[in-house]
Amino acid sequence: MEAWLKVKSVQREKFPMVGFIKDPTGVAALYLGKQEGKELRYMGKVGTGWSRTTSRKIRDALDTVVSPKQKLTKPIKKPKATWVEPKFYADVEYRDITSEGLLRASSFKGLSKGTRRS
């Protein structure tokens, strides 16, 4: 008898936050990007992994860098988004990247202020 062992790989990376969806006390979701050369590419969103307190802290930080328009190289349509300068990074765990280039099964693990590399 053969036994199969299913192993889920988890990857972790820091992504610049390019926008967010507001909720009454903080954030409902974060829009993430990835710097590839001179391009800032959309990587999807994360909507889980934080407490109410952390959600408030993320919102307080992002409210300081709100931008009138998105900073992505190829703009995306997100009517509920509040766009921000990509100065803060989300430490995110994810399972995979889809064929469309978006994060799969992403979960927020932390917030950091990044220095932008050109």
Side-chain angles (χ1 to χ4, degrees):
M1 187 174 104
E2 289 184 33
W4 283 89
L5 181 63
K6 185 174 182 181
V7 179
K8 284 188 176 178
S9 73
V10 174
Q11 299 171 73
R12 195 167 177 156
E13 206 174 322
K14 283 184 170 34
F15 295 95
M17 292 182 260
V18 295
F20 65 96
I21 298 175
K22 296 175 181 175
D23 85 357
T25 59
V27 293
L30 299 170
Y31 291 117
L32 307 173
K34 184 171 186 166
Q35 197 71 45
E36 291 180 344
K38 293 192 185 307
E39 302 226 328
L40 182 59
R41 198 164 67 78
Y42 179 64
M43 288 299 291
K45 69 178 182 177
V46 61
T48 186
W50 51 73
S51 64
R52 186 166 273 152
T53 310
T54 304
S55 174
R56 178 82 250 166
K57 283 182 186 156
I58 296 168
R59 173 75 178 272
D60 288 346
L62 293 179
D63 278 346
T64 68
V65 292
V66 168
S67 168
K69 57 187 214 265
Q70 56 184 293
K71 299 297 175 185
L72 294 164
T73 308
K74 292 188 180 107
I76 55 167
K77 280 191 170 39
K78 297 290 179 191
K80 291 182 183 162
T82 298
W83 301 110
V84 296
E85 296 284 340
K87 298 213 185 320
F88 290 96
Y89 286 73
D91 188 5
V92 174
E93 256 182 19
Y94 61 97
R95 297 268 182 250
D96 205 358
I97 292 177
T98 67
S99 56
E100 291 86 41
L102 304 178
L103 299 175
R104 175 177 286 141
S106 55
S107 178
F108 180 84
K109 297 296 172 194
L111 170 74
S112 61
K113 190 164 171 48
T115 53
R116 192 163 177 192
R117 293 186 303 274
S118 51

